[in-house]
Amino acid sequence: MIAKWRRCISRLCLIPQRYVLGLMGLWALCNAYTMRVCLNLAITQMVNNSKSGDDSHYDPDACPDDSELLVNGTAPFKPHAIFDWSESTQGLLLSGFYYGYAITQIPGGYLAEKYGGKWTLGLGLLSTALFTLLTPIVVTAGGATWLFILRVLQGMGEGPTMPALMVVLARWVPAHERSLQGALVFGGAQIGNIFGSFMSGFLMAGDGHWANVFYFFGCFGILWFLFWSILCFSAPETHPFISDEELKYLNESITGSDNKSTRDPIPWKAILRSGPAWALLFAAVGHDWGYYTMVTDLPKYMTDVLKFNIAATGTLTAIPYLAMWLSSFAFGIICDISVKRNWHSIKTGRIIYTTIAATGPAVCIILASYSGCDRFAAVAYFIASMALMGGYYSGMKVNALDLAPNYAGSLTAMVNGTSTLSGIITPYLIGLLTPDSTLKQWRVAFWICFAVLVITNVIYVIWADGEQQWWDDIRRHGYPEGWKHGPLKTSDDDKEKSKKKEAEGTAL
């Protein structure tokens, strides 16, 4: 009866379940990033940073505001700006999320590998949605201190997101589909930035209250959780209405990433001595430094330096992420086709697209900083920067699946947790470097970003790899020569197989 019901449901599902999972993963990251970045735009309307009557920090290169450039423009007005926070305080608040985000990366990866990615991811994002709903109440009652604590808690809820998602993808996505599926799923981050920026600007335009931003995206997160709970499962074998054809295809085409209850301990010693793992970590640090510089501080640059009003800032901040999302698909399709046709290896593809995504944005943000008050040129360079950054999803972002399908969650947790230091450092550092938000102060911040992107990319090019590492499946690959190790632990399944072989040999 159950099997008949399952077959009936599977026939009604016209879309293969791995693509349903991909779409829900996209929505998961969209949801995660809207809740992550909504403060970035809202804080520009929460803080009264008017410096009228204070000429001590006058910037001769300051750009005119919208009222001088647009026929229907109005002077910037913040009817609900009730907080008086310095630039360094704002930088600390914007970085608070990443303190919590870093803490729960490795525990999240462990839980996802042990118990499955579905609930590790789902419950984490649900907690973040609830904290987002509480933000206006908490910040009004406790000011900057309480808001910082709440942002840390939000980060802790989102910490397991990437490790859990990588564990799920390792069980659902064949190797030759990873670039395109990676572009689909990880593109959700850009949709989140697009949707978050545009809707935040829309909700706060005119006399809109900044609290509406947190209420809207908190409800959006809860809605995602309901759909995720019903439609998605940790592994194909546990999916109640996957088709027999798709299940057979996935079982035949996905190697590694077993879902056995008995697993070898995570090989941390080998991971920490692995050159490709360190290359991936450095590439992630570079990516996050450039990415968080754009995500966290681009709204402030648009508002404080280029002097766009809040509605224009929301729209123009969204456009670079739209470019990144679209380009990620183009890069993903090209990379998958090239690998399938043996035009280049997986390793070469990861290096090519990681390099495009690092050096291209590094150059573009420097050009943007030297475009001065030419707002059209500055926005064009930011758009080009983010479009080129879309190459990361076909490069280092999916590289953990190549190196360690069995321990993708733990490797991603280590890499993501370490690279999150960029999210902690960059907002606060930029706040310290730009106390007056002048063009020259921002230029210094962009040069630092340039250096980090280029140096980390060079390290990745030297040590990157695209093959499964020996430590991910020791039983298959064995220990390398000279490696000091103890005896392999034998699982119950392996013991049972050994007994059967011995019995067969005795019978013969």
Side-chain angles (χ1 to χ4, degrees), residues 57-72:
H57 300 302
Y58 174 70
D59 178 14
D61 298 320
C63 304
D65 60 44
D66 273 353
S67 61
E68 297 173 53
L69 293 173
L70 302 177
V71 174
N72 296 321

Side-chain angles (χ1 to χ4, degrees), residues 19-31 121 125 161 165 169 184-186 188-189 224 228 232:
Y19 295 123
V20 173
L21 179 83
L23 291 171
M24 288 303 300
L26 179 153
W27 190 6
L29 285 184
C30 172
N31 166 44
L121 173 62
L125 286 184
T161 300
L165 199 53
L169 291 176
L184 171 69
V185 174
F186 298 127
W224 167 85
W228 174 261
C232 297

Side-chain angles (χ1 to χ4, degrees), residues 274-291:
S274 171
W278 279 100
L280 181 59
L281 187 149
F282 274 96
V285 168
H287 166 262
D288 284 4
W289 192 286
Y291 188 73

Side-chain angles (χ1 to χ4, degrees), residues 333-464:
I333 291 170
I334 294 169
C335 185
D336 275 346
I337 291 174
S338 300
V339 170
K340 284 180 182 178
R341 297 186 180 181
N342 293 319
W343 292 346
H344 61 61
S345 65
I346 292 177
K347 173 184 175 179
T348 302
R350 302 298 181 242
I351 290 174
I352 289 172
Y353 294 104
T354 300
T355 301
I356 290 172
T359 57
V363 172
C364 287
I365 61 173
I366 294 300
L367 293 174
S369 72
Y370 281 93
S371 62
C373 292
D374 186 343
R375 303 203 297 181
F376 177 83
V379 171
Y381 285 129
F382 284 133
I383 293 172
S385 173
M386 295 302 286
L388 293 170
M389 204 174 281
Y392 270 118
Y393 297 121
S394 300
M396 53 76 57
K397 276 292 186 182
V398 295
N399 198 200
L401 297 178
D402 304 320
L403 301 178
N406 286 308
Y407 298 103
S410 295
L411 179 59
T412 301
M414 185 192 81
V415 170
N416 228 36
T418 305
S419 67
T420 299
L421 292 173
S422 298
I424 295 172
I425 295 170
T426 53
Y428 186 63
L429 178 62
I430 289 176
L432 293 177
L433 293 173
T434 61
D436 311 312
S437 283
T438 65
L439 281 167
K440 290 182 179 179
Q441 290 171 349
W442 274 94
R443 195 169 293 152
V444 174
F446 286 146
W447 270 113
I448 293 174
C449 183
F450 175 93
V452 173
L453 282 167
V454 172
I455 292 171
T456 54
N457 182 68
V458 170
I459 294 172
Y460 183 78
V461 169
I462 295 172
W463 284 293

Side-chain angles (χ1 to χ4, degrees), residues 39 43 47 83-96 143-145 147-148 300 427-428 431-432:
L39 179 64
I43 201 170
V47 178
F83 302 105
D84 184 19
W85 296 333
S86 67
E87 291 292 331
S88 58
T89 298
Q90 292 177 58
L92 186 62
L93 290 173
L94 292 173
S95 68
T145 302
L147 177 58
F148 179 82
K300 287 174 63 61
Y428 186 63
L432 293 177

Side-chain angles (χ1 to χ4, degrees), residues 114-137:
K114 186 172 180 63
Y115 300 108
K118 175 178 178 175
W119 295 114
T120 306
L121 173 62
L123 294 175
L125 286 184
L126 176 63
S127 69
T128 305
L130 295 175
F131 289 136
T132 301
L133 278 173
L134 291 173
T135 299
I137 300 171

